[in-house]
Amino acid sequence: MRKLFTSIFILVLMFSFTKTNVFAQGSTTSGISGKIVDEYDEPLIGATVIIKNTTIGATTDLEGNFEFNTESGKKEIVISFLGYDSKTLAVDVKEGEITKIGIIILKGSIIGLGSIDIVADRARERETPVALSNISKTKIEEQLGSRDIPMLMNITPSVYATVGGGGAGDARINVRGFNQNNVAIMINGVPINDMENGWVYWSNWDGIADATSSIQMQRGLSAVNLATPSVGGTMNIITNPAEHKAGGSAKFEYGSGNFIKTTFAGNSGLINDKYAVSASLVRKVGQGVIDKTWTDAWAYYFGASYILNETNRIEIYAIGAPQRHGQNLYKQNVAVYDQDYAKEIGVDDSTLMKFVEQDRFFNQNWGTVSKNYKGEQNWNGKSKDRYSSDFINERENFYNKPLVNLNWYSQWSEKLSQFTTIYYSGGEGGGTGTYGSFFRRDADGKLGDDDYKFYYGTSPWAWDLDTLITINSSNDPFAVIDRDSISRNNKESVGIIRNSRNNQSTIGAISKVKIKFDDNLKGAVGVDWRKAKIEHYREVRDLLGGDYYVYSGNEFDDANNYNKVLGDRIAYNFTNTVDWFGYFGQLEYSNEKITAYTTFGQSFLKYTYTNHFVRDTVDTSKELFSETDQIIGLQVKGGISYRPMDVLSVFGNYGYISKAPIFDDIIDDRSGTVADDPKNQKFKSFEFGAIYSTLSRNLNIKANYYSTYWTDRAMNIGIEKQDGTEGFIFVSGMDQLHTGVEFETNYKPIYLFEIGAMASFGNWKYVNNVKGEYKDYDGGEQTEEYNFYVKDLKVGDAPQTQFAVMLNIYPIKGLRLQFDSRHYSNHYAEWNPFSRTDETDKDQVWKTPSYMLFDFHTSYVINFSDFNLEIFCHIFNLFDEMYIQDAVDNSSYNGFYGYDNRFSHTVNSAEVFLGLPRTFNAGIKINL
């Protein structure tokens, strides 16, 4: 297979150069060609290029390219695009040649249709002194193939994204060794990280790629001038503006796992030179590649823009993705997936005997169920039929979190402008799981349950839902299984499927005022306000054959209300609020050679907690309530870019962040206890780099070095105070250092051939053992010591060495072939540094095997008079490589340690997710 791939590649390459020579030798027509882009190197589709005072010209295609024929001689061409400043160029057209004028950059006007970039704080390459990568709309369509949008970022340095267990929207992203908690994710400049824990749930934004015009990844502290701190980086997703050109598109896709997706999009065009509307609708279904990871989803996008007058403009954006999907959340010992592969990577024979091989599609989060069971399920306040008649997902995600922005742009004077966005995001949904007593069958078919009342031995086990349904639906108060019994009332469910709900409502506003002091010095000040209310509770989803479930944990219930039915709340029920206010100020100096900026920002946080199931200890008629004092965070950062010549730019930046603790580290969401003396975590970072770009822009090379020092990483420890109440306190002092170098290049020597590459080499590690003291109030005030032995151990969860090569070939007009290869190594498994409490445990974390993946993308565009038709195909993991994408060191669930703990920190004691096998996505797109 590899030889076949190599042969095809060589033939295509030879064909490409042959075509090039034919074109070059056979050209007898005079003309002009080039490419139009904006300030962020994004192609401007539909820009107009005409010879001055004539009607001779062309409009740009999907990549911003244009070409037209004209007579030889000296010409003036006028380049224009609505919302951007026009440009006039002199061109000397040679006889019998297509004169190439290279790349032309148009700058957006403030009240123009491209003004969303202003709110989104997009950095300018070669000017803004940060390490960044831009992903254009064209690249998204060429490479993503309807995967979760983080997967596209794997072609950028120091970024590692995986699909997790393989469920739709269950992806995650890691930047420079920092997970999503320390990476700022934004849509049109609005932060979308969870306000309680900082995480990003990509299933909430399933389908956003179809409405995305570009993505910018600013690695490191970034130059974004919000009070929002970003440590690993800032990922800015920019959606389609309300386009000025009328038209529409329809896309139909099919892929692995019986994946079917339909997308419709349309633009009104600019009407009466005042307003424009764009909208899209997506429908997506599929069975899933991994067993039972089905998806049932919609997505929508709406954008509208209205130009009030020459100095004011408003626009509105709305995006959402109501969806349900089956999940695979349990990692396995690698021996469960493939024992031959397990042997190859060093799994011991004794480990292989403990696990029964399944296959690489194995998923433990579901169980078969008889079609005779007709019980309904409840979610979002309604009772409905389950997804399938013959199985039930233990883990299912259902959520809808629309985001609505109202933006206002105003140019008060030549030197003063204002940009304000008001936004709302309201999420409703959650995930499912088990509650109460459940039954399992081990790999040999023996019956057991969650409480080990019955024996099960070999792994992996599987849910036995039919047994539980039989017990729940029985009129026998003592349902007998083998030799034991479960005491219960008639048709009382002893185990149920529950929903864990996470309903939230967030409103916010970001407002900036920009001041132009003179041609070189600019300033900006702004505010960032957010308020979130989040409901957390569990509810009965499926009674699994019974009539009710008994729950007595709500202190406000009496005995008459213990029997819970579909939709009733159980387990916990509390509401959290997060109040955020921040401000920032920024100065920027720029001339032909230098761009420098400095930013200062502060944020003010306050959290509250209300437990609706627990009475207040003082006034028992009220619900338990807790709140924190105001917590202050700050950031200071700045940088400078120097351009000694037109083709070279060098830059450096430095920043300091004092990050306030997240909600989960300050308030215990079961007891309501507020942590004593929580401390901010600190980040210090600097980087320097260089960018080389030829005048024709056919070669671009970037290189940079970074260093980020994370101090006072903290966790909380539960204690019992002298008065008998529960509490928890911070332990801090753990430090880690992330350093590395990054490279990125793109070379297009001829129109028919383009090659890109990236590489990153990281060294992420813990730099010190941690020792401290805290007071343990159990049995009187006593000083307790804590020690964590982590010095020189590697940070896990992402490869510290990455390479990628991307090759694009355009053998004939309209046809594109792309081959991508990615190599990952030095990937240490995920682990908890606060678990290393044994001084003798000094072994390095398990390092997963290195691997290399190949992807293939192709498309062919056929132009007709009124529309064009695009046929495309993506093949991911072209050679069906077996590899480990995610791992946990020393798993307490699926690890095997052997006698005397001899397999500790090895593949035997780890649990993993394998990467997906070869998959494909193909379809057609019609552009009007």
Side-chain angles (χ1 to χ4, degrees), residues 108-183:
S109 61
I110 292 175
I111 307 303
L113 287 178
S115 54
I116 194 169
D117 291 318
I118 299 169
V119 169
D121 271 328
R122 299 188 68 196
R124 294 177 173 85
E125 196 166 274
R126 299 186 71 249
E127 293 185 26
T128 310
V130 296
L132 63 91
S133 299
N134 287 311
I135 309 293
S136 66
K137 178 72 171 179
T138 301
K139 293 296 183 184
I140 295 171
E141 294 193 348
E142 287 178 351
Q143 298 175 9
L144 186 60
S146 291
R147 297 173 295 167
D148 292 345
I149 204 166
M151 301 304 296
L152 183 66
M153 308 311 295
N154 279 325
I155 61 175
T156 60
S158 297
V159 177
Y160 186 63
T162 72
V163 297
D170 289 342
R172 57 94 178 189
I173 191 169
N174 185 297
V175 184
R176 290 184 174 177
F178 297 97
N179 65 23
Q180 294 178 154
N181 298 98
N182 285 306
V183 177

Side-chain angles (χ1 to χ4, degrees), residues 391-442:
F391 71 87
I392 292 178
N393 287 87
E394 174 221 351
R395 296 287 188 172
E396 175 185 327
N397 179 271
F398 57 101
Y399 217 83
N400 180 23
K401 189 179 181 181
L403 172 66
V404 181
N405 295 49
L406 178 62
N407 301 338
W408 170 34
Y409 310 87
S410 184
Q411 185 71 42
W412 296 110
S413 68
E414 184 180 347
K415 295 188 175 183
L416 188 66
S417 56
Q418 173 201 314
F419 315 99
T420 299
T421 180
I422 300 172
Y423 60 91
Y424 166 80
S425 182
E428 184 178 61
T432 67
T434 62
Y435 195 77
S437 296
F438 268 72
F439 297 89
R440 308 171 177 178
R441 292 198 180 270
D442 70 7

Side-chain angles (χ1 to χ4, degrees), residues 471-474 487-495 543 545-550 563:
I471 293 173
N472 288 347
S473 59
S474 171
S487 178
R488 51 183 286 280
N489 295 316
N490 292 343
K491 291 193 176 182
E492 173 194 334
S493 293
V494 297
L543 286 164
D547 291 337
Y548 59 90
Y549 181 81
V550 176
N563 294 350

